[in-house]
Each structure stands twice: as C-alpha cells, then as structure tokens.
Amino acid sequence: MSTRPAVRRLSRISEISQVAAKHGFGYFFETHGPGSLRSRRQHEVAPETDGGSNRGQRLRQMLDELGPTFVKFGQLLSTRPDVVPPDIVFELKGLQDQVTPFSFEEAEQVIREELGLTIEQLFLEFDETPIAAASIGQVHRAVLPNGRSVAVKVQRPEAPRQIEADLELMYQVARLLGERVDALEFIDTVSLVDEFARTIRQELDYRLEARNAEQFHRDFVGHPHVRVPRVYWSYSRTRVLTLELLEGVHLRDLDLGRYTIEERKRLAYLIAEAWMHMIFRNGFFHADPHPSNIMVLEQTEHIGLIDFGMVGKLTDEDMSKLTGLFIDVVNERIEALPRRLAALGVRYPKDREEEFVNELRDVYYRYYGARLSEIDPIQLIREAFALIYRMHLQLPARFVLLDRAIATLGSAGMELYPDFNVFDVAKPYARELMIERFTPQRVVRRTAQETRNYVRMMLELPYQVHDTLEQVRDGQIEVGFRHEGLEQLIRRMDLVFNRIGIAVVAVGGAITSAMLASVANGVGSFFGILSVVGLSLSGLLSIWLVWGVIRSGRL
C-alpha cells in the first residue's frame, strides 16, 4: 500500500516529461531528469530555437495539456513580469480555464457532503449538465425553493488531492531549477511555488470567493450599468458556492456582427469605467477582467461580473503614493521615480540605480508629448514588462495584479473597438484622484494621521530603548565591527614598539655600563669587564636600530 503514492508520482513525472518533450522542452529532462523516465519521443525531440513568442506558445500549450494545476500555475506566472520574460507573460495570459466536466453523480455527492441534504431537498430544479467547467470546479444552473434562479459552483472531488500531488512535484522541479540552472539564479524558484501553493489553496475554499463577491455586490449596489450576483450563504460552504444567476452572454461568446460600431465602443468604455471605479474609488478590484468573466446582460448598457477568486486591494496609503508618482511623471522628475517606486514596494538592485533611471528616462521621452489616443497601451505595458524583467525588479503582488488587470482590459477593449484606449478612461479618474488628495479636508485628515503616528512613535520610543538595552545586557544582541587594513596597522605598531624597546635597552645598558666604569678599579677588574661588555652590546643594539630605520626609508 505504501508504494502506491510513489508509483503514482513516477507515473505523473513520466507523463510530464513526455508532454514537455512533445512541445519541445524535452531537452530539460534529457539533461536533468531521471534516466529511467526518458522516452523514445524525448530522444527524438530537440529543443527549438525561440523566436518571438514561439516559446511562449509552446509553454502555454504544454501547461494546458498538463491539466488544471499547471494551468493555474501558468496563470500565476502571467502575473509575474519580474521573473518571466515579457513574450511568455503575454502568451500565458491566453491560458483558458476550460476543462472536461466531471459527472453529475460526483457533483451530487459533494453537495450532499457539504450541505447535508440531497439535491432534491435543496433545489426545485438542478440541471445535470454544467454550464461551465474550470480547473477546480464547475457551475450548474439551479432554482431555489423560493423560485430564484442561481448558479451553483461545485468543486471537483479529487481537486485537493491532485493539487497537493502536483504541488509536491512542482517543489521538486523548483529545487532542481534553483540548483542547476544558472540563468535562473536571480529567481527564488521555491518561493515562487510557495506563492502559487498559497494562492491555489485559497481558491479551494469557496468561502473566500463568496466574501469577495459580497464585497463587490455592496460596492456596486445601485450602479446603473454594473451588476454583481448576490451570495446565498445558506447554500454555500467550502466546496459549494451558490450565487444569483445572471442571464446574458459571456463577452468571449459575443457575436460582434450584431452590434454597431458605436454600441461596441460604448460597451468597451463601459467595461473599462467599471474597473476604473473599482481601482480608483474603492481600492478593491477584480484582478482578472477576462472576457470569460464579463457578461453582457439584456442590452449593451448592462454588464455583469462573475468569478471573484482573484482580487486586488489598494490601501489609501497606496493611492497617496501612486498620486505622488503621477505628479513626478507629469513634472518630468525622472530622477525621483526610483524613490517613489521604492516607497510603493518595488525593489531593484541599488548598484544599478543609475541604469534604472536611464531606462525610465528612455521610456518616458519615447512617449512624452504624445496624445493618449496615439499611445498603444498594450505596447507600453509590453515595454514596461520588458524593463521589469531586464532590471530584475521585484514587484508587490497588488501592483502586478493592477498592471495585469489594466493590460487585460486594454486587450478586451480593443477586440470590441479597435480604437479603444484604456488610458482615455483612466485619465479623468486619475485627475480626480490627484485633486481629491489635495483638498483641504484630505490634507487636514492626512496631517492628523501623521501627527498621531509621530506621537505614538515618541511614546513607544522609551520602551523600545529599554527593551534594546535589556537584550544587549542579556547577550541577545551582538554588535560586530567590520574593519579594513587593521592588520597592517597592528603590524606597524608592533614594529614601532619593538624599536622603542630596543632603544630603551641600549640606552639603559649604556647608562649602567657607565656607572659600573665609574666605580671599577681598572679595566681588568670585574666591574670594568662588565662595563666594557655592556657598552659593546649597547653600541651594537644602537647600530642595528639605526640601520633598521635607514632601511625603512622613514627617517
């Protein structure tokens, strides 16, 4: 029995290696993988030369074929332009979460285990065929006893076990890459898998998605154009989520030929304005505005949002710092941008700060003076991602999600309306944000907050000093000194003191010899002989000391 997990793991490794070879990545397993798992197909496939986004396409296809966990991992990598080349980032954004649905009997069992009742007891109607299937779960249409239509999201029965098994393999691959691939030495591959593991384990708990949906529902209550489904908590648990059913067409399935160019333009800008409202007004935004997660309702004047597993959050402090960044950009203070970005949590190699400033200046002046309608936001974001990867910048997750959301919005909008520019929508919101940050009420409130912070720091200072001194006393804090050139100084001081010692001995010997000579009864007497010997030794020491000083060149 104990050998079964190991057998399954070997089987999965073999499957992964064969799929990798199929898509042109078999050379990695040839070089690093277990010899026993090499297949004939792997020996036949040679690594292809990457040109443009070809490698990104092959990687996307490979992850898609490997299944749900790897699809999710690819989606995470698409949000990490700091560690993944830009061409791969944009290819991985095309990963779709569409997989083969599982059986109705399995869905029924999960619902019964989670809610404690049968489907017949819970719903008036329940469609056996799912309306959507994703990597972790699938969605069924149902009707509650009160007659309301709902969408019931049910988790795959084997999802947790499969995900944990794949995560274990990912950790093995991450450690292998970190140890053997020098080109990835600046990436903490294990931490990257840690981040993914934390994210996907959260997605396994549908209650977190339910809380996100409820927050969005509150934010858009009364909005004339945006609808967010309400959560039915009595029918929701860790593996089952029940939401209000929105009737409409997914943006990805929209027949654009049925709409005029003006209607498509209006729809594109309506979607973008919904996200600008989330970002700039609420600081809480849907981080995956993919066409699969946006619905066009009864008419183009109404849209619906679904799938709230990935969200971004910006604090009031983040917005203040972003405002400062905008102001520096507008005033051409390029040298101040690294400091502004560092305040936002962006990390970059300090020894490359001058290079960083030059790169920022180059990007800035390439677009300086251009109208928003003349700027291709997708190209601009591509260049930004290229800079991030080239400079090995480390970005806070919330800002990566923000960049990704804006880029996805730009792509979706341009598919609807070719002349769409997401910056046109963002500009008035950003201007409003900048004005709002400097209203008297905001300034007074911010000043009061800063004053409270300083007062709190001053009150805590004596206690912090006391704690530090106690730690020093108890030996919990060790202070180390780093010196340079101290050994040479010690050697020179040693030499000086040696010479002083020799001089003292020579002078003392000469004085003692002179005193003995004054009391001696002649050169042949005992004291006379001692005085001659003492004077001779003192003379030799003096000559040796003078010769050493002359040789050192320091008279």
Side-chain angles (χ1 to χ4, degrees), residues 355-366:
E355 179 187 354
F356 187 26
V357 171
N358 291 334
E359 293 277 6
L360 290 171
R361 184 180 286 110
D362 181 60
V363 173
Y364 179 84
Y365 285 112
R366 198 177 308 148

Side-chain angles (χ1 to χ4, degrees), residues 183-201:
L184 300 178
E185 61 181 1
F186 73 96
I187 302 173
D188 189 342
T189 51
V190 175
S191 293
L192 194 63
V193 177
D194 280 336
E195 179 185 345
F196 170 66
R198 184 170 56 254
T199 301
I200 198 167
R201 283 168 180 155

Side-chain angles (χ1 to χ4, degrees), residues 319-344 357 360-361 364-365 368 430 434 438:
M319 301 306 288
S320 295
K321 291 176 179 178
L322 281 172
T323 303
L325 180 66
F326 291 154
I327 292 172
D328 282 336
V329 170
V330 170
N331 293 318
E332 300 183 53
R333 293 196 288 263
I334 310 301
E335 292 75 12
L337 296 186
R339 179 171 55 84
R340 291 289 189 185
L341 291 170
L344 285 166
V357 171
L360 290 171
R361 184 180 286 110
Y364 179 84
Y365 285 112
Y368 178 73
M434 293 174 65
F438 293 97

Side-chain angles (χ1 to χ4, degrees), residues 483-500:
H483 55 77
E484 294 183 2
L486 190 57
E487 293 83 359
Q488 184 179 0
L489 176 62
I490 291 174
R491 283 197 300 270
R492 292 183 60 186
M493 291 179 66
D494 214 17
L495 180 63
V496 169
F497 284 118
N498 288 340
R499 288 178 177 177
I500 292 174

